[in-house]
Amino acid sequence: MAKHGTKEYRRDMAAIHDEVVRTGEPAVITKDGKPYVRIVPETDDSTLRALADAGVVIMPSHRRIAVEPIDAGGDDSTEIIADNRR
């Protein structure tokens, strides 16, 4: 099972997802050297699918609708939010 740090995962997310799908092997994402999340390929017998089949969760029926931002006045917070994401 492949292990990747959170920084590496953010940088190479698409490639890691492709590797998991291609090999069928899960990947573990670590945070501070400890297991944080596991990326697994979607299969018919996945946990989420089993929960949906049992009626415990509801799978989305369509894609989300894009929401246009509204101007509520005030200063633009785009740069502030971007700075806090780094």
Side-chain angles (χ1 to χ4, degrees), residues 53-74:
D53 292 344
V56 177
V57 297
I58 299 171
M59 299 296 281
S61 59
H62 57 278
R63 290 175 95 48
R64 286 182 159 189
I65 298 170
V67 177
E68 291 295 320
I70 60 170
D71 184 4

Side-chain angles (χ1 to χ4, degrees), residues 11-27:
R11 185 187 66 225
D12 301 328
M13 185 185 308
I16 292 169
H17 290 176
D18 289 343
E19 178 184 344
V20 168
V21 170
R22 184 176 39 78
T23 64
E25 291 293 317

Side-chain angles (χ1 to χ4, degrees), residues 37-65:
V37 295
R38 182 185 313 210
I39 309 299
V40 297
E42 163 60 312
T43 62
D44 289 337
D45 61 344
S46 73
T47 303
L48 184 58
R49 179 68 53 207
L51 291 172
D53 292 344
V56 177
V57 297
I58 299 171
M59 299 296 281
S61 59
H62 57 278
R63 290 175 95 48
R64 286 182 159 189
I65 298 170

